[in-house]
Amino acid sequence: MYLHLGQDTVVRTSEIIGIFDMDNATVSKATRQFLAQAEKRGEVINVTGDLPKTFVVCRDKRGKVRVYISQISSATLRKRTGFIDQIANI
């Protein structure tokens, strides 16, 4: 299954490590450092033309990490993945 992140960008749901709200997650110094290091390594892909709301951390089959910055809210992205439905059925 795929998840649309905005601006014609989709990722495989099996590659998603986490979906994070930009406002809440970036309060932590560790998260800010993670994002800064990912930016330096060229792992950040900005797929938003507006104010960023979410970042999605992915790892492909080869182990390459990508951080996508999206304008779509984390709640909407989580609903689209079906992760909430999967958890409810456990």
Side-chain angles (χ1 to χ4, degrees):
M1 192 165 139
Y2 293 90
L3 176 64
H4 177 257
L5 300 177
Q7 301 288 324
D8 299 326
T9 302
V10 293
V11 296
R12 291 179 185 263
T13 54
S14 62
E15 296 179 352
I16 297 174
I17 295 172
I19 299 172
F20 304 93
D21 178 76
M22 191 69 80
D23 289 336
N24 293 325
T26 56
V27 170
S28 166
K29 182 178 180 180
T31 304
R32 289 193 309 272
Q33 288 176 338
F34 169 77
L35 290 172
Q37 290 297 321
E39 179 75 35
K40 286 180 185 176
R41 290 188 300 268
E43 298 172 347
V44 175
I45 301 168
N46 192 341
V47 296
T48 180
D50 290 334
L51 185 66
K53 294 182 182 176
T54 305
F55 66 96
V56 181
V57 180
C58 298
R59 181 177 316 192
D60 66 17
K61 293 178 184 177
R62 294 170 288 170
K64 190 169 189 174
V65 173
R66 291 279 183 229
V67 179
Y68 295 89
I69 308 295
S70 177
Q71 66 195 20
I72 301 171
S73 76
S74 58
T76 299
L77 291 175
R78 277 188 287 240
K79 287 178 189 174
R80 288 182 183 178
T81 64
F83 287 159
I84 294 172
D85 294 336
Q86 292 171 10
I87 292 169
N89 292 328
I90 294 178

